[in-house]
Amino acid sequence: AVAVRRDFFLHLAARLLGALRTAPGFATLTRFADRLAESSSYCRDPRFVATAFGLSLAVWLSLAGFFAAVLHLFGYRVSAGELLVASAVTNMSGFIPASALGSFGPIEAGWTAALSWAGLRPADAAASGLATHLARVVLLPLLSLVFVLQLWPRIAAARRTV
């Protein structure tokens, strides 16, 4: 097995960008990559890595649970494996840098494709994808508002004591 330092890829990216320093606009990007590589020391702490992994897993599973709830409300039944595949495809499709008005686009397309693969009619898969999107657009801002109103004063007070 080949041992690779955890920040190897950050340093590699900084070096590759460093080779492009003469290109317009790359000087700023290179400085950013250098700072990112220098600040990656926190990733060397195994507790930080374990915490980040655990929290990421919890977020991903909670999204899968959210998707399961939406499907249940629509009366659709899919297996746990199909749900996890649909959730993974949906989340990965969110990295496609394209969307339409209201940020509809790749996520709903990934959702529709994955659930169609799982056996739902494409129209039903698309409808549940749109419902999921609308629930996120409405619920996440409301939950964020609750967070800000309830927890922000505590966070501000804790910062003043530090």
Side-chain angles (χ1 to χ4, degrees):
V2 176
V4 177
R5 287 184 23 198
R6 289 185 185 140
D7 57 351
F8 170 78
F9 293 105
L10 289 173
H11 287 288
L12 178 64
R15 296 278 186 221
L16 290 173
L17 291 173
L20 299 172
R21 279 189 202 268
T22 58
F26 275 97
T28 302
L29 190 57
T30 302
R31 284 192 302 276
F32 173 75
D34 287 338
R35 284 195 313 260
L36 185 62
E38 290 169 8
S39 68
S40 68
S41 62
Y42 64 88
C43 290
R44 294 185 189 120
D45 180 6
R47 289 178 298 162
F48 174 82
V49 173
T51 301
F53 177 78
L55 290 173
S56 296
L57 184 62
V59 167
W60 191 71
L61 289 174
S62 68
L63 278 172
F66 171 71
F67 296 152
V70 169
L71 289 172
H72 179 73
L73 289 173
F74 270 81
Y76 302 132
R77 302 290 179 259
V78 294
S79 71
E82 291 167 337
L83 176 69
L84 291 178
V85 168
S87 181
V89 169
T90 301
N91 290 325
M92 288 187 296
S93 65
F95 290 108
I96 299 171
S99 63
L101 183 63
S103 70
F104 287 101
I107 292 175
E108 291 73 29
W111 175 262
T112 301
L115 289 178
S116 295
W117 166 82
L120 267 65
R121 291 182 319 129
D124 292 339
S128 66
L130 292 177
T132 303
H133 179 85
L134 291 174
R136 283 193 321 256
V137 168
V138 172
L139 290 178
L140 288 179
L142 288 175
L143 291 174
S144 297
L145 181 62
V146 168
F147 169 77
V148 168
L149 294 176
Q150 295 295 317
L151 297 179
W152 189 256
R154 294 180 197 165
I155 293 170
R159 283 187 175 172
R160 285 192 295 268
T161 62
V162 174

